[in-house]
Amino acid sequence: MAETVRVRCPSCRRDHLYAAQVYPCACGAPIAPPLLRAAPAEPITHRTWTDDWVTVRCQECGRQDQWPQPELGCLCGTVLRVPVRPVSAPAPAAPGSTASLAARPSRIRLPGTATAVVRPSFRPVTIRTARDAVTAAALYLKWLGFRDVVQPEVRPSSGIDLRGPGLVAQVDPSTRPATLRDVECLWLNGLSISASSVFFSLAGYADDARSRADDLGIPLFVMDLTGSPQPVNGPADELVSTGV
C-alpha cells in the first residue's frame, strides 16, 4: 500500500493528504514512488521530460524503471510536484541478473546475438479506412511473431488499438505526424501492464517523438496505403530482423 504524506500548497496554504499511485513492476510486485516527507511540494510552472518522470526501484526484484512524477492538484488551481526520495546507486550486479537490466525503461528486449528470422513475405492489406490501417498493423504484428493479437470493436480512450500477450500497439491513421505525447502515452500504457509497445503511423513521426522512441526502445513503423509497414528506427529494424 502506498504511503500517505501531508502536502501543503505554497499558494493558498491548504493541507492535503496524498498517496502516490501504485503501479505493477514487471515482476508483478506493486510499486509506488517513495515520497520525500521532509521536502515541500513545488508548483509546476513548466514541464520537461526530466521533471515528469522519476526513477523508482522495486524492492522485490531490484529493477529500476521510469514512473510518472507524483502530482497533486490543489483546489486553488495550483498543480504541485510532490518530491520523491532519490534512488541511490545500486550495488554492482552480475551480468544478466535482474538488477543489471534495471537501469532502463521497459522495452522489447531482444538478444544481441539473435540471428535473423526467416519468414515468408508479408501479405499486406490495402488501406482505405482507419479500420483497414489497424487490420494491416494486426496482420503485421502476427507476421512478426506476436500471438493472439486482437483489436477492440470500439477504440478505447487510451488510444491502444491492438493488444496481445505482452503487447500493446497504437495505430495512427491521421494526416499529422505522431507526437512526442503519443509515443510517451503508448509507452506508459505498456509499462503499466509490463507489455512491449509498438507504434504504427501513416504520416510518420515528429523529430522529438522519434528521439524519445529511440530512448525508450519503442519500435516505430510507417505505413503507406498498400498496407506495408516499414521500420523507421533502430528498435523497429531489430524487431523485423529477429522477431519476438
Side-chain angles (χ1 to χ4, degrees):
M1 183 176 180
E3 61 180 321
T4 301
V5 298
R6 188 175 299 277
V7 178
R8 172 165 292 183
C9 176
S11 299
C12 68
R13 313 305 293 175
R14 281 189 178 92
D15 284 333
H16 305 267
L17 288 178
Y18 176 81
Q21 185 171 346
V22 176
Y23 298 92
C25 176
C27 73
I31 299 177
L35 305 179
L36 189 62
R37 294 176 179 271
E42 298 179 353
I44 297 176
T45 58
H46 177 70
R47 291 187 178 276
T48 66
W49 166 266
T50 303
D51 292 335
D52 284 348
W53 303 89
V54 293
T55 302
V56 179
R57 180 185 299 129
C58 175
Q59 298 301 314
E60 296 294 327
C61 68
R63 177 191 180 95
Q64 290 179 204
D65 267 322
Q66 297 295 307
W67 302 94
Q69 164 71 49
E71 295 180 2
L72 170 66
C74 181
L75 295 175
C76 72
T78 302
V79 179
L80 304 172
R81 181 176 293 118
V82 182
V84 172
R85 290 199 302 271
V87 175
S88 58
S97 68
T98 302
S100 68
L101 298 176
R104 295 202 49 92
S106 297
R107 59 170 59 191
I108 294 177
R109 302 183 188 277
L110 302 174
T113 57
T115 57
V117 174
V118 178
R119 59 172 72 91
S121 299
F122 175 64
R123 301 180 65 180
V125 174
T126 301
I127 297 175
R128 298 184 178 87
T129 67
R131 194 71 177 179
D132 290 339
V134 176
T135 298
L139 292 173
Y140 192 76
L141 289 168
K142 294 175 182 177
W143 179 75
L144 289 172
F146 290 99
R147 298 177 294 104
D148 302 325
V149 178
V150 296
Q151 54 180 304
E153 288 298 321
V154 179
R155 194 172 195 254
S157 59
S158 65
I160 301 304
D161 297 287
L162 297 166
R163 293 182 182 272
L167 168 72
V168 292
Q170 185 168 339
V171 184
D172 186 352
S174 70
T175 57
R176 64 163 181 82
T179 66
L180 172 63
R181 179 177 176 80
D182 293 334
V183 169
E184 290 179 348
C185 287
L186 171 64
W187 173 74
L188 183 57
N189 273 284
L191 188 65
S192 67
I193 59 172
S194 302
S196 301
S197 305
V198 183
F199 207 119
F200 297 86
S201 172
L202 265 69
Y205 302 87
D207 290 342
D208 55 357
R210 291 186 59 165
S211 177
R212 182 64 64 213
D214 289 341
D215 292 340
L216 299 175
I218 297 177
L220 302 180
F221 294 89
V222 293
M223 294 191 295
D224 57 25
L225 296 183
T226 67
S228 299
Q230 299 296 326
V232 296
N233 68 344
D237 286 329
E238 189 175 8
L239 180 57
V240 171
S241 175
T242 62
V244 294

